[in-house]
Coordinates of all heavy atoms in Angstrom, one line a residue:
M1 N 141.7 -8.9 114.1 CA 140.4 -9.5 114.4 C 139.4 -9.0 113.2 O 139.4 -7.8 112.9 CB 139.8 -9.0 115.7 CG 138.5 -9.6 116.0 SD 137.7 -8.9 117.4 CE 138.4 -10.0 118.6
I2 N 138.7 -9.9 112.7 CA 137.8 -9.6 111.6 C 136.4 -9.4 112.2 O 135.9 -10.2 113.0 CB 137.7 -10.8 110.6 CG1 139.1 -10.9 109.9 CG2 136.6 -10.5 109.6 CD1 139.1 -12.1 109.0
E3 N 135.8 -8.3 111.9 CA 134.4 -8.0 112.3 C 133.4 -8.5 111.3 O 133.5 -8.0 110.1 CB 134.2 -6.6 112.6 CG 132.9 -6.2 113.1 CD 132.7 -4.7 113.3 OE1 133.7 -4.0 113.6 OE2 131.6 -4.2 113.0
L4 N 132.5 -9.3 111.6 CA 131.5 -9.8 110.7 C 130.2 -9.1 111.0 O 129.7 -9.1 112.1 CB 131.3 -11.3 110.8 CG 130.3 -11.9 109.9 CD1 130.7 -11.8 108.4 CD2 130.2 -13.4 110.2
R5 N 129.6 -8.5 110.0 CA 128.4 -7.8 110.1 C 127.4 -8.5 109.2 O 127.7 -8.9 108.0 CB 128.5 -6.3 109.7 CG 129.4 -5.6 110.6 CD 129.5 -4.1 110.2 NE 129.8 -4.0 108.8 CZ 130.2 -2.9 108.2 NH1 130.3 -1.8 108.9 NH2 130.5 -2.8 107.0
H6 N 126.2 -8.6 109.6 CA 125.1 -9.3 108.8 C 123.8 -8.6 109.0 O 123.5 -8.1 110.1 CB 125.1 -10.8 109.0 CG 124.7 -11.1 110.4 ND1 123.4 -11.3 110.9 CD2 125.5 -11.4 111.5 CE1 123.4 -11.6 112.1 NE2 124.7 -11.7 112.6
A7 N 123.0 -8.6 108.0 CA 121.6 -8.1 108.1 C 120.8 -8.7 107.0 O 121.3 -9.2 106.0 CB 121.7 -6.5 107.9
T8 N 119.5 -8.7 107.2 CA 118.6 -9.3 106.2 C 118.1 -8.3 105.2 O 117.5 -8.6 104.2 CB 117.4 -10.0 106.9 OG1 116.7 -9.0 107.7 CG2 117.9 -11.2 107.7
E9 N 118.2 -7.0 105.5 CA 117.7 -5.9 104.6 C 118.7 -5.2 103.7 O 118.4 -4.4 102.9 CB 116.9 -4.9 105.4 CG 117.7 -4.0 106.3 CD 118.0 -4.7 107.6 OE1 117.5 -5.7 108.0 OE2 118.9 -4.1 108.3
K10 N 120.0 -5.5 104.0 CA 121.0 -4.8 103.2 C 122.3 -5.6 103.0 O 122.5 -6.5 103.9 CB 121.4 -3.4 103.7 CG 122.1 -3.5 105.1 CD 122.4 -2.1 105.6 CE 123.1 -2.1 106.9 NZ 123.5 -0.8 107.4
I11 N 123.0 -5.4 102.0 CA 124.3 -6.1 101.8 C 125.3 -5.1 101.2 O 125.0 -4.3 100.3 CB 124.1 -7.3 100.9 CG1 125.4 -8.1 100.8 CG2 123.7 -6.9 99.5 CD1 125.3 -9.5 100.2
E12 N 126.5 -5.1 101.7 CA 127.6 -4.3 101.2 C 128.6 -5.2 100.4 O 129.0 -6.2 100.8 CB 128.4 -3.7 102.3 CG 127.5 -2.8 103.2 CD 128.1 -2.7 104.6 OE1 129.1 -3.3 105.0 OE2 127.5 -1.9 105.4
F13 N 128.8 -4.8 99.1 CA 129.8 -5.5 98.3 C 130.5 -4.5 97.4 O 130.0 -3.7 96.7 CB 129.0 -6.5 97.4 CG 129.9 -7.3 96.5 CD1 130.6 -8.3 97.1 CD2 129.9 -7.1 95.2 CE1 131.5 -9.1 96.3 CE2 130.8 -7.9 94.4 CZ 131.5 -8.9 94.9
L14 N 131.9 -4.6 97.6 CA 132.8 -3.7 96.9 C 132.4 -2.3 97.2 O 132.5 -1.9 98.4 CB 132.8 -4.0 95.4 CG 133.3 -5.4 95.0 CD1 133.3 -5.6 93.5 CD2 134.7 -5.6 95.5
D15 N 132.0 -1.5 96.2 CA 131.7 -0.1 96.5 C 130.2 0.2 96.4 O 129.7 1.3 96.3 CB 132.4 0.9 95.6 CG 132.1 0.6 94.1 OD1 131.5 -0.4 93.8 OD2 132.6 1.5 93.3
V16 N 129.3 -0.9 96.6 CA 127.9 -0.7 96.4 C 127.2 -1.3 97.7 O 127.7 -2.3 98.2 CB 127.4 -1.5 95.2 CG1 125.9 -1.4 95.1 CG2 128.0 -1.0 93.9
I17 N 126.2 -0.6 98.2 CA 125.4 -1.1 99.2 C 124.0 -1.3 98.6 O 123.5 -0.3 98.0 CB 125.4 -0.3 100.5 CG1 124.5 -0.9 101.6 CG2 124.9 1.1 100.2 CD1 124.7 -0.3 103.0
T18 N 123.4 -2.5 98.7 CA 122.1 -2.7 98.2 C 121.1 -2.9 99.4 O 121.4 -3.7 100.3 CB 122.1 -4.0 97.3 OG1 123.1 -3.9 96.3 CG2 120.7 -4.2 96.7
I19 N 120.0 -2.2 99.3 CA 119.1 -2.1 100.4 C 117.7 -2.5 99.9 O 117.3 -2.0 98.8 CB 119.0 -0.7 101.1 CG1 120.4 -0.3 101.5 CG2 118.1 -0.6 102.2 CD1 120.6 1.2 101.7
I20 N 116.9 -3.2 100.7 CA 115.5 -3.5 100.4 C 114.7 -2.4 101.1 O 114.7 -2.3 102.3 CB 115.1 -4.9 100.8 CG1 115.9 -5.9 100.1 CG2 113.6 -5.0 100.5 CD1 115.6 -7.3 100.6
R21 N 114.1 -1.5 100.3 CA 113.3 -0.4 100.9 C 111.9 -0.4 100.2 O 111.8 -0.3 99.0 CB 114.0 0.9 100.6 CG 113.4 2.1 101.3 CD 114.1 3.4 101.1 NE 115.5 3.3 101.6 CZ 116.5 4.0 101.1 NH1 116.4 4.7 100.0 NH2 117.7 3.8 101.6
N22 N 110.9 -0.6 101.0 CA 109.5 -0.7 100.6 C 109.3 -1.7 99.5 O 108.6 -1.5 98.5 CB 109.0 0.7 100.1 CG 109.1 1.7 101.1 OD1 108.9 1.4 102.3 ND2 109.4 3.0 100.8
G23 N 110.0 -2.9 99.6 CA 109.9 -4.0 98.7 C 110.7 -3.8 97.4 O 110.5 -4.6 96.5
H24 N 111.5 -2.7 97.3 CA 112.3 -2.5 96.1 C 113.8 -2.5 96.4 O 114.1 -2.1 97.6 CB 111.9 -1.1 95.5 CG 110.5 -1.0 95.0 ND1 110.0 -1.8 93.9 CD2 109.5 -0.3 95.4 CE1 108.8 -1.5 93.7 NE2 108.4 -0.6 94.7
L25 N 114.6 -2.8 95.5 CA 116.0 -2.8 95.7 C 116.6 -1.4 95.4 O 116.2 -0.8 94.3 CB 116.8 -3.8 94.8 CG 116.6 -5.3 95.1 CD1 117.3 -6.1 94.1 CD2 117.0 -5.6 96.5
V26 N 117.3 -0.8 96.3 CA 117.9 0.5 96.1 C 119.4 0.3 96.3 O 119.9 -0.3 97.2 CB 117.4 1.5 97.2 CG1 118.0 2.8 97.1 CG2 115.9 1.6 97.1
T27 N 120.2 0.9 95.4 CA 121.6 0.9 95.5 C 122.2 2.2 95.8 O 121.6 3.3 95.4 CB 122.3 0.3 94.2 OG1 121.9 1.2 93.1 CG2 121.9 -1.1 93.9
D28 N 123.3 2.2 96.6 CA 123.9 3.4 97.0 C 125.4 3.2 97.0 O 125.9 2.1 97.1 CB 123.4 3.9 98.4 CG 123.7 5.3 98.7 OD1 124.2 6.0 97.8 OD2 123.3 5.7 99.8
L29 N 126.2 4.3 97.0 CA 127.6 4.2 97.1 C 128.1 3.8 98.5 O 127.6 4.4 99.4 CB 128.2 5.6 96.7 CG 129.7 5.7 96.4 CD1 130.1 4.8 95.2 CD2 130.1 7.1 96.1
F30 N 129.0 2.9 98.6 CA 129.5 2.5 99.9 C 131.0 2.6 99.9 O 131.7 2.2 99.0 CB 129.1 1.0 100.1 CG 129.7 0.4 101.3 CD1 129.3 0.7 102.6 CD2 130.8 -0.5 101.2 CE1 129.9 0.2 103.7 CE2 131.4 -1.1 102.3 CZ 130.9 -0.7 103.6
T31 N 131.5 3.2 101.0 CA 132.9 3.3 101.3 C 133.1 2.8 102.7 O 132.3 3.0 103.6 CB 133.5 4.7 101.1 OG1 132.7 5.6 102.0 CG2 133.4 5.2 99.7
K32 N 134.2 2.1 102.8 CA 134.5 1.5 104.1 C 134.9 2.7 105.1 O 135.5 3.7 104.6 CB 135.7 0.6 104.0 CG 135.4 -0.7 103.3 CD 136.5 -1.7 103.3 CE 136.2 -2.9 102.6 NZ 137.3 -3.9 102.5
P33 N 134.6 2.5 106.4 CA 135.0 3.6 107.3 C 136.5 3.9 107.4 O 136.8 5.0 107.8 CB 134.5 3.0 108.7 CG 133.5 1.9 108.3 CD 133.9 1.4 107.0
T34 N 137.3 2.9 107.0 CA 138.7 3.2 107.0 C 139.3 3.8 105.7 O 140.5 4.1 105.7 CB 139.5 1.8 107.2 OG1 139.1 0.9 106.2 CG2 139.1 1.2 108.5
D35 N 138.4 4.1 104.7 CA 138.9 4.7 103.5 C 139.4 6.1 103.8 O 138.7 6.9 104.4 CB 137.7 4.7 102.5 CG 138.2 5.1 101.1 OD1 139.3 5.5 100.9 OD2 137.3 5.1 100.2
K36 N 140.6 6.4 103.3 CA 141.2 7.7 103.5 C 141.0 8.7 102.4 O 141.3 9.9 102.5 CB 142.7 7.6 103.8 CG 143.1 6.7 104.9 CD 142.7 7.3 106.2 CE 143.3 6.4 107.3 NZ 142.6 6.7 108.6
H37 N 140.4 8.3 101.3 CA 140.2 9.1 100.1 C 141.5 9.8 99.7 O 141.5 11.0 99.5 CB 139.1 10.1 100.4 CG 137.8 9.5 100.8 ND1 137.0 8.7 100.0 CD2 137.2 9.4 102.1 CE1 136.0 8.3 100.7 NE2 136.1 8.6 101.9
L38 N 142.6 9.1 99.5 CA 143.8 9.7 99.2 C 144.0 9.7 97.6 O 144.7 8.9 97.0 CB 145.0 8.9 99.8 CG 145.0 8.9 101.3 CD1 146.1 8.0 101.9 CD2 145.1 10.3 101.8
Y39 N 143.3 10.6 97.0 CA 143.4 10.7 95.6 C 144.6 11.5 95.1 O 145.3 12.2 95.9 CB 142.1 11.5 95.1 CG 140.8 10.9 95.5 CD1 139.9 11.5 96.3 CD2 140.5 9.6 95.0 CE1 138.7 10.9 96.7 CE2 139.3 9.0 95.4 CZ 138.5 9.6 96.2 OH 137.3 9.0 96.6
L40 N 145.0 11.3 93.9 CA 146.1 12.0 93.3 C 146.1 13.5 93.5 O 145.0 14.1 93.2 CB 146.2 11.6 91.8 CG 147.4 12.0 91.0 CD1 148.6 11.3 91.6 CD2 147.2 11.7 89.6
R41 N 147.1 14.1 93.9 CA 147.2 15.5 94.2 C 147.3 16.3 92.8 O 147.9 15.8 91.9 CB 148.3 15.9 95.1 CG 148.1 15.4 96.5 CD 149.1 15.9 97.5 NE 149.3 17.4 97.5 CZ 148.5 18.2 98.2 NH1 147.6 17.7 99.0 NH2 148.7 19.5 98.2
R42 N 146.8 17.5 92.8 CA 146.8 18.3 91.6 C 148.2 18.7 91.2 O 148.5 18.8 90.0 CB 146.0 19.5 91.8 CG 145.8 20.4 90.6 CD 144.6 19.8 89.8 NE 144.3 20.7 88.7 CZ 144.2 20.2 87.4 NH1 144.3 18.9 87.2 NH2 143.9 21.0 86.5
D43 N 149.1 18.8 92.2 CA 150.5 19.3 91.9 C 151.4 18.1 91.6 O 152.6 18.3 91.5 CB 151.0 20.1 93.0 CG 151.0 19.4 94.3 OD1 150.6 18.2 94.4 OD2 151.5 20.0 95.3
S44 N 150.9 16.9 91.4 CA 151.7 15.8 91.0 C 152.2 15.9 89.6 O 151.7 16.8 88.8 CB 151.0 14.4 91.1 OG 150.1 14.3 90.0
S45 N 153.2 15.2 89.2 CA 153.8 15.3 87.8 C 153.1 14.3 86.8 O 153.7 14.0 85.8 CB 155.3 15.1 87.9 OG 155.6 13.9 88.5
H46 N 151.9 13.8 87.2 CA 151.2 13.0 86.2 C 150.7 13.8 85.1 O 150.5 15.0 85.2 CB 150.1 12.3 87.0 CG 150.5 11.2 87.9 ND1 151.1 11.5 89.1 CD2 150.5 9.9 87.7 CE1 151.4 10.3 89.7 NE2 151.1 9.3 88.9
P47 N 150.4 13.2 83.9 CA 149.8 13.9 82.8 C 148.5 14.6 83.2 O 147.7 14.1 84.0 CB 149.5 12.8 81.8 CG 150.4 11.7 82.1 CD 150.6 11.7 83.6
E48 N 148.2 15.7 82.6 CA 147.0 16.5 82.9 C 145.7 15.6 82.6 O 144.7 15.7 83.4 CB 146.9 17.7 82.0 CG 145.9 18.7 82.4 CD 146.1 19.3 83.8 OE1 147.3 19.4 84.3 OE2 145.1 19.7 84.5
S49 N 145.7 14.8 81.6 CA 144.6 13.9 81.3 C 144.3 13.0 82.5 O 143.1 12.7 82.8 CB 144.8 13.2 80.0 OG 145.9 12.3 80.1
T50 N 145.3 12.5 83.1 CA 145.1 11.6 84.2 C 144.5 12.3 85.4 O 143.5 11.8 86.0 CB 146.5 11.0 84.7 OG1 147.0 10.3 83.6 CG2 146.3 10.1 85.9
K51 N 144.9 13.5 85.7 CA 144.4 14.3 86.8 C 143.0 14.7 86.5 O 142.2 14.8 87.4 CB 145.3 15.5 87.0 CG 146.7 15.1 87.6 CD 147.5 16.3 87.9 CE 148.3 16.8 86.8 NZ 149.3 17.8 87.2
K52 N 142.6 15.0 85.3 CA 141.2 15.4 84.9 C 140.3 14.2 85.0 O 139.1 14.3 85.2 CB 141.2 16.0 83.6 CG 141.7 17.4 83.5 CD 141.6 18.0 82.1 CE 142.1 19.4 82.1 NZ 141.9 20.0 80.7
A53 N 140.8 13.0 84.7 CA 140.0 11.8 84.7 C 139.5 11.3 86.1 O 138.5 10.7 86.2 CB 140.8 10.6 84.0
I54 N 140.2 11.7 87.1 CA 139.9 11.3 88.5 C 138.5 11.8 88.9 O 137.6 11.0 89.3 CB 141.0 11.6 89.5 CG1 142.2 10.7 89.1 CG2 140.5 11.3 90.9 CD1 143.5 11.1 89.9
P55 N 138.3 13.1 88.9 CA 137.0 13.6 89.3 C 135.9 13.1 88.4 O 134.8 12.8 88.9 CB 137.1 15.1 89.3 CG 138.5 15.5 88.9 CD 139.2 14.2 88.6
Y56 N 136.2 13.1 87.1 CA 135.2 12.6 86.2 C 134.8 11.2 86.5 O 133.6 10.8 86.6 CB 135.7 12.7 84.7 CG 134.7 12.1 83.7 CD1 133.6 12.9 83.3 CD2 134.9 10.9 83.2 CE1 132.8 12.4 82.4 CE2 134.1 10.4 82.2 CZ 133.0 11.1 81.8 OH 132.1 10.6 80.9
G57 N 135.8 10.3 86.7 CA 135.5 8.9 87.0 C 134.7 8.7 88.3 O 133.8 7.9 88.4
L58 N 135.1 9.5 89.3 CA 134.4 9.4 90.6 C 132.9 9.8 90.4 O 132.0 9.2 91.0 CB 135.1 10.2 91.6 CG 136.5 9.7 92.1 CD1 137.2 10.8 92.9 CD2 136.3 8.4 92.8
G59 N 132.7 10.9 89.6 CA 131.3 11.3 89.4 C 130.5 10.3 88.7 O 129.3 10.1 89.0
V60 N 131.1 9.8 87.6 CA 130.3 8.8 86.8 C 130.0 7.5 87.7 O 128.9 7.0 87.6 CB 131.2 8.4 85.6 CG1 130.6 7.1 84.9 CG2 131.2 9.5 84.6
R61 N 131.0 7.1 88.5 CA 130.8 6.0 89.4 C 129.6 6.2 90.3 O 128.8 5.4 90.5 CB 132.1 5.7 90.1 CG 132.0 4.6 91.1 CD 133.4 4.4 91.8 NE 133.3 4.1 93.2 CZ 133.6 4.8 94.2 NH1 134.0 6.0 94.0 NH2 133.4 4.4 95.4
A62 N 129.6 7.4 90.9 CA 128.5 7.7 91.9 C 127.2 7.8 91.2 O 126.2 7.2 91.7 CB 128.8 9.1 92.6
K63 N 127.1 8.4 90.0 CA 125.9 8.5 89.2 C 125.4 7.1 88.8 O 124.2 6.8 88.8 CB 126.1 9.3 88.0 CG 124.8 9.6 87.3 CD 124.7 11.0 86.7 CE 123.5 11.3 86.0 NZ 122.4 11.7 86.8
R64 N 126.3 6.2 88.4 CA 125.9 4.9 88.0 C 125.4 4.0 89.1 O 124.5 3.2 89.0 CB 127.1 4.2 87.4 CG 126.9 2.8 86.8 CD 128.2 2.3 86.1 NE 129.4 2.8 86.6 CZ 130.2 2.2 87.5 NH1 129.9 1.0 87.9 NH2 131.4 2.7 87.8
I65 N 126.0 4.2 90.3 CA 125.6 3.3 91.5 C 124.4 3.8 92.2 O 123.5 3.0 92.6 CB 126.8 3.2 92.4 CG1 127.9 2.4 91.8 CG2 126.4 2.6 93.7 CD1 129.2 2.4 92.6
C66 N 124.2 5.1 92.4 CA 123.1 5.6 93.2 C 121.8 5.6 92.5 O 121.7 6.3 91.4 CB 123.5 7.0 93.7 SG 124.9 7.2 94.8
T67 N 120.8 5.0 93.0 CA 119.5 5.0 92.4 C 118.7 6.2 92.8 O 117.8 6.6 92.1 CB 118.7 3.7 92.7 OG1 118.7 3.5 94.1 CG2 119.4 2.5 92.0
D68 N 119.0 6.7 93.9 CA 118.3 7.9 94.5 C 119.0 9.2 94.1 O 120.2 9.3 94.4 CB 118.1 7.8 96.0 CG 117.4 9.0 96.6 OD1 116.3 9.3 96.1 OD2 117.9 9.5 97.6
K69 N 118.4 10.1 93.5 CA 119.0 11.4 93.0 C 119.6 12.2 94.2 O 120.6 12.8 94.1 CB 118.1 12.2 92.2 CG 117.8 11.6 90.8 CD 116.9 12.5 90.0 CE 116.6 11.9 88.7 NZ 115.7 12.7 87.8
G70 N 118.8 12.2 95.3 CA 119.3 13.0 96.5 C 120.6 12.4 97.0 O 121.5 13.1 97.4
S71 N 120.6 11.1 97.1 CA 121.8 10.4 97.5 C 123.0 10.7 96.6 O 124.1 10.9 97.1 CB 121.6 8.9 97.6 OG 122.7 8.2 98.0
Y72 N 122.7 10.7 95.3 CA 123.8 11.0 94.3 C 124.3 12.4 94.6 O 125.5 12.6 94.6 CB 123.3 10.9 92.9 CG 124.1 11.6 91.9 CD1 125.4 11.1 91.6 CD2 123.7 12.7 91.2 CE1 126.2 11.8 90.7 CE2 124.5 13.4 90.3 CZ 125.8 12.9 90.1 OH 126.6 13.5 89.2
R73 N 123.5 13.4 94.8 CA 123.9 14.8 95.0 C 124.7 14.9 96.3 O 125.7 15.6 96.3 CB 122.7 15.7 95.1 CG 122.2 16.0 93.7 CD 121.1 17.1 93.8 NE 120.0 16.7 93.0 CZ 118.8 16.3 93.4 NH1 118.6 16.3 94.7 NH2 117.9 15.9 92.6
Q74 N 124.3 14.1 97.3 CA 125.1 14.1 98.5 C 126.5 13.6 98.4 O 127.5 14.1 98.8 CB 124.3 13.3 99.6 CG 125.0 13.3 100.9 CD 124.2 12.4 101.9 OE1 123.2 11.7 101.5 NE2 124.6 12.4 103.1
H75 N 126.6 12.4 97.6 CA 127.9 11.8 97.4 C 128.7 12.7 96.5 O 129.9 12.8 96.7 CB 127.7 10.4 96.8 CG 127.3 9.4 97.7 ND1 128.0 9.0 98.8 CD2 126.1 8.7 97.8 CE1 127.3 8.1 99.5 NE2 126.2 7.9 98.9
R76 N 128.1 13.4 95.5 CA 128.8 14.3 94.6 C 129.5 15.4 95.4 O 130.7 15.7 95.2 CB 127.9 14.8 93.6 CG 128.6 15.6 92.5 CD 127.6 16.2 91.5 NE 126.7 17.1 92.2 CZ 125.5 17.5 91.7 NH1 125.1 17.2 90.5 NH2 124.7 18.3 92.4
E77 N 128.7 16.0 96.3 CA 129.3 17.1 97.2 C 130.4 16.5 98.1 O 131.4 17.2 98.3 CB 128.2 17.7 98.0 CG 127.2 18.5 97.1 CD 127.9 19.6 96.3 OE1 128.7 20.3 96.8 OE2 127.5 19.7 95.1
S78 N 130.2 15.3 98.6 CA 131.3 14.7 99.4 C 132.5 14.5 98.6 O 133.6 14.8 99.1 CB 130.7 13.4 100.0 OG 131.7 12.8 100.7
I79 N 132.4 14.0 97.4 CA 133.6 13.8 96.6 C 134.3 15.1 96.2 O 135.5 15.2 96.3 CB 133.1 13.0 95.3 CG1 132.7 11.6 95.6 CG2 134.3 13.0 94.2 CD1 132.0 10.9 94.4
K80 N 133.5 16.1 95.9 CA 134.0 17.4 95.6 C 134.9 17.9 96.8 O 136.0 18.4 96.7 CB 132.9 18.4 95.3 CG 133.4 19.7 94.8 CD 132.3 20.7 94.6 CE 131.2 20.3 93.7 NZ 130.2 21.3 93.5
S81 N 134.3 17.8 98.0 CA 135.0 18.2 99.2 C 136.3 17.4 99.5 O 137.3 18.0 99.8 CB 134.1 18.0 100.4 OG 134.8 18.2 101.6
Q82 N 136.2 16.1 99.2 CA 137.4 15.3 99.4 C 138.5 15.7 98.4 O 139.7 15.7 98.8 CB 137.1 13.8 99.2 CG 136.2 13.3 100.3 CD 135.4 12.0 99.9 OE1 135.6 11.5 98.8 NE2 134.6 11.5 100.8
L83 N 138.1 16.0 97.2 CA 139.1 16.3 96.2 C 139.7 17.7 96.5 O 140.9 17.9 96.3 CB 138.5 16.4 94.8 CG 138.2 15.0 94.2 CD1 137.3 15.1 93.0 CD2 139.4 14.2 93.9
K84 N 138.9 18.6 97.0 CA 139.5 19.9 97.4 C 140.5 19.8 98.5 O 141.5 20.5 98.6 CB 138.3 20.9 97.8 CG 137.6 21.4 96.6 CD 136.5 22.4 97.0 CE 135.8 22.9 95.8 NZ 134.7 23.8 96.2
Q85 N 140.2 18.9 99.5 CA 141.1 18.7 100.6 C 142.4 18.2 100.1 O 143.4 18.5 100.7 CB 140.5 17.7 101.6 CG 139.4 18.4 102.5 CD 138.9 17.3 103.5 OE1 138.9 16.1 103.3 NE2 138.4 17.8 104.6
R86 N 142.4 17.4 99.1 CA 143.6 16.8 98.6 C 144.4 17.8 97.7 O 145.5 17.5 97.3 CB 143.3 15.5 97.7 CG 143.0 14.3 98.6 CD 144.2 13.9 99.4 NE 145.3 13.3 98.5 CZ 146.5 13.0 98.9 NH1 146.8 13.2 100.2 NH2 147.4 12.5 98.1
G87 N 143.8 18.9 97.3 CA 144.5 19.9 96.5 C 144.3 19.6 95.0 O 145.1 19.8 94.2

């Protein structure tokens, strides 16, 4: 069953949520509730450059999308925690 959500003040598209706040557009990082955050493990046999690129890319993505610095810091800490959980 597909659940359809709609609102007049925000829209979720891909990994971005756009919100109208005080007459201005604000963007924030959006992840689906079903996202498991299964990133590549550190002990995999992938090249070191690939393993280093994952946290960097996730950080750049969050910084690019989040217009609010506080929201960016919150997502950065969340990403750090998810990566630590994956090893």
Side-chain angles (χ1 to χ4, degrees):
M1 176 188 278
I2 297 175
E3 179 184 328
L4 180 63
R5 297 180 308 193
H6 60 88
T8 57
E9 68 280 348
K10 67 180 179 178
I11 186 167
E12 301 158 353
F13 182 72
L14 299 176
D15 59 349
V16 179
I17 184 166
T18 305
I19 307 163
I20 299 173
R21 189 178 297 150
N22 300 327
H24 298 292
L25 291 177
V26 177
T27 57
D28 199 1
L29 193 61
F30 172 72
T31 55
K32 292 183 180 179
T34 57
D35 190 353
K36 302 288 186 201
H37 305 288
L38 299 177
Y39 303 117
L40 187 65
R41 292 186 55 85
R42 188 82 174 131
D43 59 358
S44 75
S45 51
H46 286 77
E48 193 63 28
S49 59
T50 301
K51 293 186 267 189
K52 286 182 178 180
I54 293 171
Y56 175 79
L58 291 170
V60 168
R61 176 177 145 251
K63 184 145 182 84
R64 182 175 27 101
I65 291 173
C66 297
T67 54
D68 180 48
K69 289 182 182 181
S71 177
Y72 162 67
R73 282 189 227 107
Q74 181 183 8
H75 287 295
R76 185 183 63 194
E77 291 305 314
S78 176
I79 291 167
K80 190 187 302 184
S81 171
Q82 293 160 2
L83 289 170
K84 284 182 180 179
Q85 283 180 334
R86 284 295 291 170

